[in-house]
Amino acid sequence: MGEEISKDEFENKDFDTFREHLERETALLRQIQTEGGLSDQGPFIGLELEAWLIDHNFFPAPHNQSFLERLGGDTVVAELSRFNIEINTPVEEIAGEGLARMHAHLSDTLRQCAANANEDVDTVIAIGTLPTLREEDLSIDMMTPSNRYVALNREAMRARGGAPISFDIDSCRDDSGFAATYEDVMAEAATTSLQLHLQLADEKMAAAYNASLMLSAPLVAISANAPFLFGRPLWHETRIPVFEQALAQPTSLQRVTFGSGYVKDDLVELFEENLSEYPPLLPVYNENRSDTDFACLKLHNGTLWRWVRPLVGRSNDGKPHIRIEQRVMSAGPSVLDMMANAALYFGAVEEISMYIDEATSELSFAKARANLYVAARDGLGAEIDWFGNKARRPVASVVEDMIPLAESGLRKLGMAEHLIDKYLTTVSMRLETRQNGANWQLSQFDRHGDFHRLTADYLAHQKSGLPVHEWPN
C-alpha cells in the first residue's frame, strides 16, 4: 500500500514546499553515495505478495477492512481495492536456509489469512488476475478507505486533464481483444503480483539493476499467470498492460514504465530522474522529519511504478541503502512456484552481473524493453532478443539457459545445496511440461468453459501446495 498520508487535499504551496524537500533529499542521497556512505551490507532478500479476498461464489470479497482489523499486526496490509491485501515477509539473508524460511513464513501467513477470511465467509487466493472478476467490481466504491488512494486517484486523473483512461488490449488467441474507458484508476486493482527485493553492497547494485531489466522478459514468461480479463483471453500476463494503461499519462513519460535506459553508474540516477522528469502527485511532508529520513523521496518514488524499481531503506548498520524491487512476476500459482521464481531471479542476477557490460552491449535497452511486452503477450511461446548470439530465440530456450546460470549464482551466494536443487528443479519441470499458471488456466478453461470451476480448481490446487506443473486439468 505504501505509507498512509495525513491528508488528501492539497494547495499549490504544498507542491512547492514538497519539491524543495524532494530536491534536498535527492541531493543528500547523491552526496552520501558519492562519499561512500551507503550500506555495504547484503545480500539480503525480501518479498511482497499481493492477493485477493474472494467469497464462496469465487467473486471478489470487499472485506479487507474487517479482515485486517481481526488479523492485527503489520505484515499484512490493504491494497487499492477492498478485496486486495498485501503480505510482507521479514528480510532474510539468501545464504544458507534464508529462502526456506521465507517460504515457510509465506505459507504460514497465507494459511492464517485464509482462516481469518473465513470469518467473513471468504478465503484468500494468489493469482495474477482473478478469472471471475467483473467490470462492476472495479467501481470507485470498492476503493480501500485511505487518504493515499483518494489523493492518488484524484491527482492522477488531474494530470490527465480529466480525460478518461482508455484501455485497448489485444488477444494472443483471437481477434476479440478488450477496449473500454474508465473515469478513475481502479482498474489497477485487477492486477496482483509477487514483488522480490534484493539488497547488495552499493558497488554491486548498478550491475544487478541492469541484469534485472534484462531478465524481466524471461521471468514474466516462465511465471505468467494472468491470461483472462473480464472473461476474455488476452495476454498470458495481462497484468502488464492493465497496470500500465490504468495509470497512463498523456505524456511520453509514464508512471508505470520499464524505464528510460540502463543505469550508468549507480541507482541514485533513478531518483535524480524522478526529480527532474516527474511532477509530484502526493505533496505531503512533515517539517519535523529530517532529510535523512528521505520521507519525500520515498513518497514520490512510491507514485512511480517502474517494473524494476529502486527503493531506499535503512540497514542494520544505520546507513541508508538502495535495494531493487523486481515487479514483473505474477502472484501464484503455488508458494513453491513463487519461491522457485525467486531462486531463479536471485541466482541469475548474481551470475549475469559478473559480465554485465558485455551483456548490455549485446542486448540494448530498447530490445530488453520490447522483450518484456512480447513475453507478457505470448508467455512461453514468445521469441525474444537475447545476448550471446544477438539473434531472436524462443524465450523457453533463454529460461533453459538461465537455470544453470542461476545455479552457479546461488552457489556463489551461499544458498544451501538442497534448496538450489529443490527450487531450480521446480522451474525445470515447469519448463519441460510448458505448464505455467497461464497455460494451466487457458487449458482448463478450454476443457471446461467455466470460470467458476477454473477458480475453484485453481484454489484447491494452490492449497495442496503442489507446483503448477503437477496440476491436472
Side-chain angles (χ1 to χ4, degrees):
M1 174 180 179
E3 186 176 342
E4 177 60 311
I5 58 177
S6 58
K7 61 181 182 178
D8 64 10
E9 293 284 348
F10 312 122
E11 301 176 4
N12 288 338
K13 66 178 183 179
D14 293 323
F15 288 93
D16 294 338
T17 305
F18 182 89
R19 184 167 183 84
E20 292 173 4
H21 284 269
L22 183 61
E23 289 173 350
R24 289 206 311 266
E25 292 176 14
T26 305
L28 177 61
L29 187 63
R30 167 56 69 195
Q31 177 185 343
I32 292 172
Q33 196 282 332
T34 300
E35 295 175 352
L38 292 178
S39 177
D40 60 1
Q41 289 189 339
F44 292 122
I45 57 174
L47 69 77
E48 302 168 29
L49 174 65
E50 298 167 340
W52 300 73
L53 297 176
I54 58 173
D55 63 24
H56 63 282
N57 292 315
F58 304 105
F59 290 125
H63 301 145
N64 67 7
Q65 297 300 285
S66 57
F67 169 90
L68 292 169
E69 184 177 353
R70 287 192 308 270
L71 188 67
D74 57 3
T75 61
V76 183
V77 297
E79 268 292 337
L80 172 64
S81 76
R82 292 174 181 264
F83 48 76
N84 288 140
I85 58 172
E86 180 185 272
I87 299 169
N88 297 271
T89 64
V91 174
E92 294 282 358
E93 295 183 5
I94 196 169
E97 303 280 338
L99 197 57
R101 290 191 296 272
M102 188 173 288
H103 186 157
H105 183 276
L106 185 57
S107 295
D108 289 345
T109 304
L110 280 169
R111 282 193 290 269
Q112 292 168 15
C113 286
N116 180 57
N118 285 341
E119 295 292 320
D120 289 316
V121 201
D122 299 335
T123 191
V124 175
I125 188 170
I127 189 169
T129 297
L130 189 68
T132 54
L133 182 69
R134 303 155 298 188
E135 287 196 70
E136 57 263 34
D137 292 319
L138 299 178
S139 73
I140 197 70
D141 294 336
M142 289 292 182
M143 179 180 284
T144 294
S146 157
N147 288 340
R148 183 186 183 96
Y149 291 140
V150 169
L152 180 63
N153 178 67
R154 186 190 60 252
E155 296 302 324
M157 296 307 296
R158 180 181 295 173
R160 294 180 53 82
I165 295 171
S166 296
F167 269 62
D168 187 4
I169 307 172
D170 66 334
S171 172
C172 65
R173 290 194 135 196
D174 53 41
D175 296 328
S176 61
F178 173 71
T181 58
Y182 297 98
E183 301 296 329
D184 52 58
V185 303
M186 283 300 293
E188 179 198 334
T191 70
T192 56
S193 64
L194 170 70
Q195 299 161 21
L196 300 176
H197 292 208
L198 176 63
Q199 179 191 338
L200 304 170
D202 179 54
E203 67 270 13
K204 297 182 178 181
M205 291 303 294
Y209 186 86
N210 289 341
S212 296
L213 292 172
M214 299 175 69
L215 288 165
S216 293
L219 286 170
V220 81
I222 192 65
S223 66
N225 195 30
F228 296 107
L229 179 67
F230 306 137
R232 299 172 177 85
L234 299 176
W235 292 16
H236 282 237
E237 190 57 28
T238 306
R239 185 179 57 86
I240 298 291
V242 167
F243 196 18
E244 291 197 351
Q245 295 183 27
L247 287 158
Q249 296 294 298
T251 66
S252 59
L253 283 168
Q254 296 299 313
R255 300 190 89 94
V256 183
T257 177
F258 193 67
S260 60
Y262 293 128
V263 297
K264 295 181 176 61
D265 298 309
D266 56 66
L267 302 197
V268 180
E269 296 167 17
L270 299 171
F271 294 99
E272 291 170 337
E273 182 178 82
N274 290 356
L275 172 66
S276 64
E277 302 295 336
Y278 293 95
L281 287 185
L282 304 179
V284 179
Y285 53 90
N286 184 339
E287 295 288 2
N288 295 322
R289 296 188 69 169
S290 168
D291 289 347
T292 58
D293 292 333
F294 299 108
C296 293
L297 182 145
K298 292 176 184 177
L299 182 56
H300 186 49
N301 190 54
T303 64
L304 298 166
W305 295 270
R306 288 182 172 87
W307 289 115
V308 183
R309 182 163 66 174
L311 298 175
V312 170
R314 193 164 296 278
S315 297
N316 292 334
D317 60 6
K319 296 180 180 179
H321 68 254
I322 306 176
R323 65 187 184 276
I324 293 168
E325 182 183 50
Q326 173 57 273
R327 302 171 54 84
V328 300
M329 286 175 280
S330 221
S334 70
V335 177
L336 175 54
D337 284 308
M338 290 186 282
M339 293 302 102
N341 296 340
L344 180 68
Y345 166 63
F346 293 136
V349 164
E350 175 67 18
E351 194 67 14
I352 292 176
S353 293
M354 298 299 103
Y355 47 88
I356 192 63
D357 290 341
E358 177 185 350
T360 53
S361 69
E362 295 181 1
L363 182 69
S364 69
F365 176 81
K367 289 182 177 179
R369 178 172 54 196
N371 283 347
L372 173 67
Y373 301 104
V374 173
R377 184 183 188 277
D378 297 332
L380 285 171
E383 290 192 354
I384 64 171
D385 291 292
W386 199 238
F387 63 90
N389 58 15
K390 300 183 181 179
R392 291 187 72 79
R393 297 173 53 189
V395 73
S397 74
V398 174
V399 177
E400 187 174 12
D401 289 349
M402 281 172 59
I403 293 171
L405 292 178
E407 182 178 4
S408 176
L410 292 172
R411 285 203 179 101
K412 290 177 181 176
L413 291 167
M415 182 180 286
E417 194 69 30
H418 73 99
L419 294 180
I420 297 175
D421 179 68
K422 172 183 178 178
Y423 293 126
L424 295 185
T425 296
T426 299
V427 177
S428 295
M429 293 305 299
R430 196 189 316 155
L431 189 61
E432 182 177 325
T433 61
R434 294 296 193 272
Q435 182 160 288
N436 59 9
N439 284 342
W440 181 88
Q441 290 188 57
L442 289 163
S443 176
Q444 205 273 359
F445 185 75
D446 288 344
R447 183 182 296 267
H448 302 292
D450 184 337
F451 285 114
H452 287 81
R453 175 168 179 171
L454 187 163
T455 307
D457 290 350
Y458 179 103
L459 181 61
H461 293 323
Q462 185 171 89
K463 288 181 176 179
S464 78
L466 289 174
V468 70
H469 70 263
E470 296 183 19
W471 290 10
N473 288 116

